[in-house]
Amino acid sequence: MSLIERSKIVYVYTFLAIVMFGYFMGYLIFSSDPRMSNHALEVEKAYLWEIILLVVGLLSTFVILLSSLSHSLKTKRMKWRTLMIFIFPLSFVYAWIHGRKA
């Protein structure tokens, strides 16, 4: 059984990735924090909870991507697989469409 066939996993991992992306993009756009003076938050300057949020968000993105790629290979959806390889955010769309059947 693939991970995207478990709808709770799809919801949680997608939520974590969106929170991570939203936090860092919002921080980049709306913050006047001196740590962001060069529009980049380096790991040395980041707080521990920001590093944890970044790692969890990136791991959840990779889990959804790899699970969607393996599921599309098993179900012989090669067009989706090719698109997901080149445009990785489509893996979230694929997981929401084909993974919510459970």
Side-chain angles (χ1 to χ4, degrees):
M1 177 182 244
S2 178
L3 285 177
I4 68 166
E5 292 172 357
R6 299 176 185 163
S7 60
K8 289 181 183 178
I9 290 178
V10 172
Y11 295 142
V12 169
Y13 285 167
T14 303
F15 175 75
L16 290 173
I18 288 172
V19 166
M20 184 256 329
F21 178 74
Y23 174 77
F24 284 106
M25 288 306 296
Y27 203 66
L28 177 66
I29 294 169
F30 299 114
S31 178
S32 60
D33 193 340
R35 297 181 302 152
M36 294 289 290
S37 61
N38 60 352
H39 297 292
L41 182 59
E42 291 129 13
V43 176
E44 295 85 25
K45 295 180 182 179
Y47 299 125
L48 179 63
W49 62 272
E50 290 172 331
I51 294 170
I52 292 170
L53 181 65
L54 178 66
V55 168
V56 167
L58 290 176
L59 285 176
S60 62
T61 300
F62 286 122
V63 165
I64 289 289
L65 176 64
L66 294 176
S67 180
S68 296
L69 286 173
S70 69
H71 185 269
S72 65
L73 181 67
K74 287 178 189 175
T75 57
K76 310 250 189 296
R77 293 185 173 110
M78 291 305 159
K79 289 181 184 177
W80 270 104
R81 183 171 170 81
T82 306
L83 284 173
M84 285 187 287
I85 289 172
F86 293 112
I87 308 169
F88 81 91
L90 285 177
S91 62
F92 289 100
V93 175
Y94 181 87
W96 277 78
I97 292 172
H98 297 288
R100 298 183 340 162
K101 305 221 179 5

